Amino acid sequence: MTPEEEQELQALRLEVRKLKRALANAVNDVARERNIVTTQMSMNAVLTLERDKDRNYLKMLLENSDTHIVILDSDYKFAYVSDGFLRVLGNNTQFYELQGKSPREAIFAKTTKESFETINDYALAAMKTGEKAHFRIGKVFAEDADNAEYIISVIPTVNDTNNITALLVIYQNVTELTNALASANDANRAKSDFLANMSHEIRTPLNAIIGMSQIAKGAQADADKIKYCINKIEESSTHLLGLINDILDMSKIEADKFDLSLTPFVFEKMLARVTDIVRFKLEEKNILFNIDIDKSLPPVIVGDEQRIAQVIMNLLSNAVKFTPVNGYITLTVRDLDTEQCGVHKLQISLCDSGIGISPEQKAKLFSPFVQADGSITRKFGGTGLGLVISKKIVEKCGGDIWVNSELGKGSEFVFTIKVTEGEDLRKTRVSPEGVRVLAVDDSPFVLEIFSGIAKKLNLNYDVADSGEAALALIEKNSYDIVFVDWKMPGMDGIELTKRVKGSCTSVVVMITAMDWAVIEKEAKAAGISKFISKPLLLPIIEETIGEFITSEKGGEVTPPDPTDSTDGIFKGKKILLSEDVEINREIIISLLENTGLEIVCAENGREAVASFISESDTLDLIFMDIHMPEMDGYEATRRIRAQKADNAKTIPIIAMTANVFMEDIKKCIAAGMNDHIGKPIEITNVIEKLKHYLM
């Protein structure tokens, strides 16, 4: 190959390499463009999906919102409406029915005239001036509730040349918000009124306590005046304690810490205790009070005795408060049905001849911090919380509460609860075989109640509606016990008792709705052995018969002293009182002074532990306060239980504290205590606990 050919071949090779490089670059460029296009397509697809998603979200929001949107074009015709707006127009309105039409043409008939004209005026003004407007208005659409409320916003849109191109109208339904705000304001106002009322209610008994204390101090040797002052102080103190308990119960309800404590109890005994509390007021107003109990009611039921009693007490106290002098109150108990697992549904009603309740007042009865009638509250007093607390208790017991009443025609409060039947473990001293009793009362209702009780107890009994009829029966029959009413027409109970005791050896028990202390001296002189109060209840009759009848017919009758004295009953027993407040120690020691108890004191938990260690072999029981300096009652109890003394694990330790909620009682038991007594101290409760643990 010649040099020229060699040179030409090299030039061709160089050209081929250039072409290859150019082709490779072109291929790379094509691939790069393809990737860019693919990426752009993917990005566009993603953006489209996002836009569709946003659009769907926006549509969902507008469809389910109380805010409705309308867009009018520059010619004041409908250009857009949200689905929510179409929905509130009603009649399945579609957008095509509105599109291109003015508001007056399209929706005037479907809105209220007043609202349409107001919104239309604002919208036309905005189209002319270009200024926004926001205003509040009432019912807008024909299907709105009468109390509906809207906030309307009218917003014009302007282009670069300041020409109005469209008008945005926003309808925001604020009815629920307005109602919620009104309710919150009402609640705040009610709580403010409640606090003002509570200030008055609390200060009233305090004023009586302070005032009567000062009067008693100045009375000096006037024993009757001092006794009067002390009675008023006791009444005011009891009233004040009731107010405080209501407020504390309400605070537990508000905090949702309201629990029940289920225990077996005798329902009729609980009723007797409740009745005893209001007996004085019943006597004072001469109110006829009757109790009618279903014969199928189980003798022992399982429920929260304290809370059920609280409901009945609230309703009964209200009935007494609002029933005039010489009125009547009837408490009825019915066992409606028995469900599975032995659950009984009880219906308890209280009917009175009081002032009655209007429909407006009934609507407020069970609302917290709201009293049905402020003027009545000022006249009769009270917290206004009793019915609210009662409703909560009843609902916790699986029941309901309601009222039937007309203004001026009395009231009937009714509630239901669910309870289970408990095992009757009571040790009755009644030996029905051969026991014969006679009941004398001029009231057919009382005799009917007594007959029902006697049948339940399988007693051999007779009834008489007058003293003369009773004496005629006594001439023919021999009776172990004669139950005699005090006030009867013709021959009263005192005279009848004298004649009975003059002709036979029957024990005579007086039944009365009045305070027996009024006739105690005369009645005892006539031969009355015991007093029991009306209304008659089975446990009271049963216990009374058990006191007098021995296990064998013809046994000796030993009538107990009606005063049930506690003199010297705990002689030889020694207790430790752990209490840091001096006046509380003084009260306990004074109240138990006649019982024969030896009491040693400790002023804090540390002293209590030291006293137990040094005197454990002589101590029989410990009363333990909870809140004390240096060491509280919980820790003191745990340390006592940890001692090596023989009785460290068994000595009864009873909490004596103002902590009275269920969780407080459980905490005491968990710390090792046996029982609980709440402050302020009720001496009968203290004696009852001492009898249980020391006798």
Side-chain angles (χ1 to χ4, degrees):
M1 183 180 291
T2 62
E4 292 80 3
E5 290 174 338
E6 183 70 27
Q7 187 176 2
E8 188 175 350
L9 181 59
Q10 289 294 334
L12 288 171
R13 287 175 177 167
L14 182 60
E15 190 65 28
V16 168
R17 282 198 295 273
K18 287 181 179 179
L19 289 172
K20 285 183 177 180
R21 281 198 298 272
L23 180 60
N25 289 336
V27 169
N28 289 335
D29 289 342
V30 169
R32 192 179 301 111
E33 288 297 326
R34 185 183 293 117
N35 288 337
I36 291 171
V37 170
T38 301
T39 301
Q40 287 179 339
M41 289 177 65
S42 298
M43 289 179 66
N44 288 337
V46 169
L47 290 172
T48 300
L49 288 172
E50 290 296 325
R51 279 195 297 270
D52 289 344
K53 188 186 295 184
D54 290 343
R55 192 179 294 112
N56 289 334
Y57 284 153
L58 180 60
K59 183 179 180 182
M60 188 187 308
L61 178 66
L62 293 175
E63 284 179 353
N64 295 283
S65 173
D66 284 335
T67 300
H68 313 309
I69 296 175
V70 170
I71 298 177
L72 302 171
D73 61 21
S74 57
D75 294 325
Y76 203 60
K77 308 289 185 183
F78 280 105
Y80 169 82
V81 297
S82 64
D83 290 344
F85 185 83
L86 293 173
R87 189 168 57 252
V88 294
L89 287 176
N91 299 322
N92 294 318
T93 304
Q94 303 297 317
F95 177 60
Y96 70 82
E97 299 176 48
L98 311 181
Q99 192 171 17
K101 295 180 180 179
S102 70
R104 190 172 293 278
E105 292 177 282
I107 66 170
F108 178 77
K110 298 180 179 182
T111 60
T112 64
K113 180 180 178 181
E114 183 181 350
S115 68
F116 178 86
E117 297 297 349
T118 301
I119 297 170
N120 197 51
D121 289 345
Y122 274 104
L124 289 173
M127 290 290 285
K128 291 179 181 178
T129 63
E131 295 181 358
K132 301 176 182 179
H134 303 280
F135 56 94
R136 189 179 289 265
I137 198 169
K139 182 176 179 178
V140 172
F141 303 100
E143 295 188 3
D144 280 339
D146 290 337
N147 67 335
E149 192 163 348
Y150 286 82
I151 293 177
I152 308 297
S153 298
V154 179
I155 306 169
T157 58
V158 183
N159 61 15
D160 294 339
T161 59
N162 285 329
N163 291 321
I164 296 173
T165 58
L167 188 69
L168 176 66
V169 184
I170 301 173
Y171 297 72
Q172 186 176 0
N173 189 333
V174 294
T175 306
E176 289 187 9
L177 290 174
T178 302
N179 291 342
L181 179 61
S183 296
N185 288 335
D186 287 345
N188 285 333
R189 187 162 47 251
K191 287 189 177 182
S192 297
D193 293 344
F194 170 79
L195 289 174
N197 183 51
M198 282 306 93
S199 176
H200 173 267
E201 285 296 320
I202 290 171
R203 287 172 185 273
T204 298
L206 278 176
N207 181 61
I209 292 167
I210 294 169
M212 287 295 168
S213 299
Q214 292 170 343
I215 293 171
K217 283 181 182 178
Q220 297 179 351
D222 191 341
D224 290 338
K225 196 169 189 178
I226 292 172
K227 185 177 180 180
Y228 172 81
C229 291
I230 291 172
N231 288 337
K232 290 297 179 184
I233 290 170
E234 184 178 14
E235 288 177 19
S236 298
S237 301
T238 302
H239 177 64
L240 182 60
L241 179 61
L243 293 174
I244 293 170
N245 285 338
D246 277 354
I247 294 168
L248 292 176
D249 278 344
M250 195 62 217
S251 69
K252 287 175 69 63
I253 289 173
E254 294 261 289
D256 196 25
K257 292 183 177 179
F258 201 77
D259 297 317
L260 300 178
S261 175
L262 305 182
T263 56
F265 68 97
V266 179
F267 188 86
E268 292 186 55
K269 271 192 174 182
M270 177 269 291
L271 282 184
R273 286 193 293 271
V274 170
T275 303
D276 283 341
I277 295 171
V278 298
R279 187 173 307 284
F280 174 75
K281 291 294 183 184
L282 289 166
E283 294 169 1
E284 192 176 52
K285 299 177 77 172
N286 195 31
I287 293 173
L288 176 63
F289 178 47
N290 290 318
I291 297 179
D292 182 8
I293 300 177
D294 197 328
K295 293 180 176 61
S296 64
L297 180 73
V300 178
I301 64 174
V302 177
D304 192 322
E305 179 180 9
Q306 179 184 351
R307 293 303 184 185
I308 295 171
Q310 185 178 353
V311 175
I312 296 172
M313 186 68 216
N314 278 332
L315 298 181
L316 183 54
S317 296
N318 284 343
V320 173
K321 187 187 299 183
F322 298 121
T323 297
V325 173
N326 299 323
Y328 72 84
I329 299 171
T330 301
L331 190 156
T332 306
V333 183
R334 293 288 176 263
D335 188 357
L336 295 183
D337 52 49
T338 305
E339 302 175 359
Q340 292 181 347
C341 303
V343 176
H344 290 255
K345 185 177 183 181
L346 305 186
Q347 178 175 293
I348 301 159
S349 63
L350 272 149
C351 183
D352 65 59
S353 60
I355 61 177
I357 306 167
S358 70
E360 295 77 18
Q361 292 167 347
K362 278 197 281 188
K364 300 176 183 178
L365 276 181
F366 300 103
S367 300
F369 308 111
V370 178
Q371 293 175 311
D373 187 329
S375 63
I376 290 176
T377 299
R378 288 188 292 275
K379 181 178 178 181
F380 293 100
T383 64
L385 296 177
L387 290 176
V388 183
I389 296 167
S390 296
K391 186 174 188 292
K392 184 68 175 181
I393 293 171
V394 167
E395 289 173 348
K396 281 275 188 180
C397 293
D400 196 8
I401 185 169
W402 65 94
V403 60
N404 304 311
S405 182
E406 289 184 44
L407 198 60
K409 294 186 179 180
S411 303
E412 182 189 31
F413 281 85
V414 188
F415 70 93
T416 58
I417 54 172
K418 290 183 179 180
V419 297
T420 56
E421 186 170 350
E423 185 178 358
D424 191 356
L425 299 177
R426 294 172 297 160
K427 295 181 179 178
T428 177
R429 289 178 287 173
V430 176
S431 178
E433 293 297 328
V435 175
R436 188 161 193 172
V437 298
L438 171 65
V440 189
D441 199 298
D442 61 305
S443 167
F445 183 83
V446 172
L447 295 180
E448 182 183 347
I449 295 297
F450 185 89
S451 297
I453 293 171
K455 287 174 183 176
K456 275 191 174 182
L457 294 174
N458 296 317
L459 293 173
N460 187 359
Y461 75 98
D462 291 308
V463 296
D465 60 4
S466 68
E468 292 78 10
L471 290 174
L473 287 170
I474 290 171
E475 284 182 9
K476 299 176 183 177
N477 306 296
S478 175
Y479 296 99
D480 297 287
I481 300 177
V482 179
F483 292 90
V484 177
D485 185 26
W486 172 24
K487 289 188 173 181
M488 294 185 292
M491 188 186 305
D492 67 12
I494 300 290
E495 179 62 27
L496 176 59
T497 300
K498 291 177 180 177
R499 297 199 186 185
V500 170
K501 299 303 286 187
S503 62
C504 66
T505 59
S506 301
V507 171
V508 182
V509 176
M510 179 159 282
I511 53 177
T512 176
M514 307 302 288
D515 183 3
W516 59 265
V518 176
I519 56 164
E520 180 183 6
K521 188 174 181 180
E522 184 184 3
K524 284 183 178 179
I528 299 292
S529 296
K530 185 179 177 67
F531 295 85
I532 60 173
S533 299
K534 293 181 181 178
L536 300 180
L537 293 165
L538 185 146
I540 307 303
I541 298 295
E542 182 181 25
E543 288 177 2
T544 300
I545 294 173
E547 287 181 26
F548 297 109
I549 303 300
T550 57
S551 59
E552 296 181 7
K553 174 64 178 133
E556 185 182 355
V557 176
T558 54
D561 184 347
T563 58
D564 193 20
S565 173
T566 57
D567 290 346
I569 60 172
F570 302 124
K571 190 174 182 180
K573 300 293 183 180
K574 184 177 180 181
I575 69 169
L576 169 63
L577 173 62
S578 181
E579 167 64 64
D580 63 312
V581 180
E582 182 179 359
I583 192 169
N584 289 345
R585 296 196 300 272
E586 184 180 340
I587 289 170
I588 296 297
I589 292 170
S590 296
L591 290 175
L592 296 175
E593 187 174 10
N594 69 321
T595 64
L597 268 178
E598 181 183 351
I599 302 175
V600 294
C601 295
E603 296 184 13
N604 57 60
R606 196 175 302 282
E607 287 186 13
V609 176
S611 294
F612 176 77
I613 292 172
S614 63
E615 302 186 61
S616 62
D617 56 338
T618 62
L619 288 175
D620 298 294
L621 181 143
I622 300 172
F623 282 134
M624 183 71 73
D625 187 23
I626 298 301
H627 295 291
M628 296 182 290
E630 296 191 40
M631 183 185 295
D632 64 28
Y634 300 123
E635 181 61 25
T637 299
R638 284 190 283 265
R639 295 201 183 187
I640 289 171
R641 294 299 189 206
Q643 298 302 312
K644 294 180 179 179
D646 292 340
N647 62 342
K649 301 288 191 299
T650 58
I651 186 170
I653 302 178
I654 302 174
M656 188 175 277
T657 172
N659 296 354
V660 294
F661 292 142
M662 185 52 59
E663 58 264 32
D664 299 319
I665 297 173
K666 289 178 180 177
K667 194 173 179 181
C668 292
I669 302 302
M673 299 183 199
N674 301 82
D675 216 325
H676 177 280
I677 295 175
K679 293 178 181 177
I681 297 302
E682 281 283 349
I683 187 59
T684 53
N685 191 21
V686 175
I687 295 293
E688 193 175 299
K689 300 291 185 187
L690 288 170
K691 283 182 177 179
H692 177 74
Y693 290 103
L694 298 182
M695 296 179 72

